[in-house]
């Protein structure tokens, strides 16, 4: 028999890249999907050696069923999504179609393939801490009620509960990972952490960047993507399927992130590089999000290993190297 196959949707995202590389190192055959038209232009392609890349629109359920039959994966990781919380208000229907309906269609395809082939197929869904909504307090765990308040969060919550329902109804090995904020040097600059890291690097290299933020006292539980994909693998390798909060158990403010980013390159106070624009902050978002990963620690032996300070410093360091070398992506940027 040849190696087991893993199918990863959204393989060109930071999570998909780290997960694919981890699986390839351990001898898996990895098939990864990217949005149509991005196979040859996606910035993450240099990091995906050994991965078979397929163009697939997440809403194309017929093609997904064909991929199941063609590649016979033992593990399916659904990491692709409509990823912008803010933009989901303008494209609510697309967010729901991509993040909820498409997941149900995937579950149906996996179920049919399992039953038709008497196969052991395991399914991981990338859920989100956004499902908890804005009115939350304390450390959130798997039992915390969902109170989604954005189209993005509503769709993610629907997908989450669909996974639970298919697991309970059909005995599917299907897991949710409730992912709290996680970053890497390969995080897009449209996201706050990537924006801050690049600004600190730009300032060190002589630029005059300005980071525009809505609220620098918002708190989030920020972890490292490289750590979080290890939980994904452990969840599908466990004896039984379950849902897990994926978090560090510690929270930090954007003020602390700014200090860590600019401090990591010796620039001192970041205030000259920051502008506040309150209109960028939405009242539907939580002012603080903190995860309780104790279930993952107890059942999977997993915990985050990368400190907040080391994560931010690594992001800034890679952006400095990008600016100074003129090379946006290089395998040398991986640790």
């Amino acid at each position: 028999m040849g190696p087991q196959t893993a199918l990863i949707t959204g393989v060109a995202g930071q999570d998909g890249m780290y997960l694919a590389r981890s699986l390839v190192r351990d001898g898996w055959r990895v098939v990864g999907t990217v949005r149509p038209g991005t196979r040859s232009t996606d910035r993450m392609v240099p990091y995906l050696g050994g991965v078979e890349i397929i163009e697939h629109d997440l809403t194309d359920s017929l093609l997904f069923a064909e991929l199941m039959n063609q590649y016979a994966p033992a593990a399916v990781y659904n990491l692709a999504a409509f990823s912008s919380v803010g933009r989901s208000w303008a494209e609510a229907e697309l967010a729901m179609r991509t993040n909820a309906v498409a997941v149900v269609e995937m579950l149906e395809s996996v179920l049919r393939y399992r039953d038709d082939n008497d196969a052991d197929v395991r399914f991981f869904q990338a859920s989100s801490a956004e499902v908890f909504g804005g009115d939350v307090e304390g450390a959130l765990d798997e039992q915390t009620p969902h109170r989604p308040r954005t189209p993005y969060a509503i769709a993610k919550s629907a997908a989450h509960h669909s996974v639970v329902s298919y697991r309970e109804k059909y005995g599917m090995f299907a897991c949710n990972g409730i992912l709290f904020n996680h970053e890497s040097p390969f995080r897009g600059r449209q996201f706050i952490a990537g924006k801050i890291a690049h600004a600190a690097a730009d300032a060190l290299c002589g630029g005059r960047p300005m980071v525009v933020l809505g609220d620098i006292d918002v708190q989030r539980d920020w972890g490292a993507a490289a750590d979080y994909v290890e939980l994904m693998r452990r969840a599908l390798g466990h004896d039984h399927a379950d849902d897990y909060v994926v978090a560090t158990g510690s929270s930090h403010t954007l003020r602390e992130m700014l200090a860590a980013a600019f401090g990591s390159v010796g620039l001192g106070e970041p205030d000259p590089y920051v502008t506040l624009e309150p209109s960028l902050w939405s009242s539907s978002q939580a002012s603080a999000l903190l995860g309780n990963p104790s279930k993952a620690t107890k059942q999977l032996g997993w915990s985050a290993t990368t400190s907040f300070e080391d994560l931010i410093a690594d992001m800034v360091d890679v952006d400095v190297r990008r600016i100074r070398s003129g090379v946006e992506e290089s395998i040398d940027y991986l640790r």
Side-chain angles (χ1 to χ4, degrees):
M1 291 182 61
Q4 287 187 302
T5 297
L7 174 59
I8 303 173
T9 69
V11 75
Q14 63 169 5
D15 295 1
M17 180 272 285
Y18 279 114
L19 177 61
R21 291 181 62 84
S22 173
L23 289 163
V24 168
R25 279 196 303 269
D26 286 348
W28 283 71
R29 179 193 188 193
V30 178
V31 178
T33 71
V34 298
R35 290 189 304 273
T38 63
R39 186 205 306 250
S40 61
T41 60
D42 198 285
R43 57 186 285 262
M44 300 300 282
V45 169
Y47 306 104
L48 295 174
V51 178
E52 299 174 52
I53 300 176
I54 306 294
E55 293 186 354
H56 172 235
D57 184 326
L58 200 62
T59 63
D60 187 344
S61 60
L62 293 178
L63 178 55
F64 182 81
E66 290 177 12
L67 294 177
M68 289 296 302
N69 289 318
Q70 180 178 353
Y71 293 103
V76 177
Y77 296 89
N78 181 36
L79 308 185
F82 182 108
S83 60
S84 174
V85 176
R87 192 162 56 86
S88 71
W89 284 109
E91 300 180 77
E93 184 178 356
L94 179 61
M96 187 63 70
R97 180 78 183 85
T98 306
N99 290 359
V101 176
V103 176
V104 174
E105 292 172 340
M106 284 183 187
L107 289 166
E108 282 288 325
S109 291
V110 171
L111 178 63
R112 284 194 300 270
Y113 178 82
R114 184 199 72 172
D115 291 347
D116 290 347
N117 297 277
D118 191 25
D120 177 17
V121 187
R122 301 187 170 202
F123 183 88
F124 180 90
Q125 167 65 14
S127 188
S128 167
E130 291 287 332
V131 301
F132 297 126
D135 186 19
V136 293
E137 293 182 357
L140 312 179
D141 62 21
E142 296 79 7
Q143 301 305 313
T144 302
H146 289 200
R147 296 190 179 94
R149 290 297 182 268
T150 66
Y152 170 90
I154 292 167
K156 280 291 190 178
S157 180
H160 179 109
H161 287 297
S162 296
V163 168
V164 174
S165 295
Y166 273 71
R167 184 172 69 226
E168 294 177 347
K169 172 69 173 177
Y170 299 111
M172 289 181 65
F173 198 107
C175 303
N176 285 298
I178 308 171
L179 301 166
F180 281 66
N181 294 68
H182 52 292
E183 315 293 340
S184 76
F186 310 98
R187 182 69 146 159
R189 289 172 196 157
Q190 72 270 31
F191 297 98
I192 288 176
K195 185 186 303 183
I196 288 174
H198 187 262
D202 189 19
L204 179 69
C205 295
R208 299 183 62 83
M210 188 58 64
V211 183
V212 183
L213 301 171
D215 182 356
I216 61 174
D217 290 314
V218 61
Q219 296 180 31
R220 291 290 182 268
D221 187 328
W222 273 291
D227 289 343
Y228 286 18
V229 301
E230 173 62 24
L231 182 141
M232 298 177 190
R233 292 196 60 182
R234 292 192 187 195
L236 292 201
H238 196 50
D239 291 338
H240 65 273
D242 213 331
D243 306 317
Y244 302 96
V245 161
V246 193
T248 70
S250 298
S251 65
H252 299 271
T253 64
L254 279 179
R255 189 187 301 272
E256 290 175 280
M257 180 177 285
L258 286 161
F262 284 82
S264 71
V265 287
L267 289 175
E269 289 298 320
D271 294 2
Y273 306 99
V274 179
T275 296
L276 293 181
E277 179 50 67
S279 65
L280 295 177
W281 177 251
S282 170
S283 60
S284 64
Q285 294 177 272
S287 59
L289 281 175
L290 173 65
N292 176 2
S294 60
K295 180 178 178 181
T297 300
K298 181 179 180 180
Q299 291 189 191
L300 304 178
W302 178 89
S303 61
T305 61
T306 306
S307 72
F308 174 76
E309 292 76 15
D310 286 347
L311 170 63
I312 302 305
D314 187 32
M315 293 175 68
V316 176
D317 175 65
V318 169
D319 271 346
V320 169
R321 294 161 69 186
R322 286 179 170 128
I323 293 170
R324 287 177 173 170
S325 69
V327 177
E328 273 296 305
E329 305 301 341
S330 168
I331 203 75
D332 294 337
Y333 299 156
L334 285 162
R335 291 190 184 279

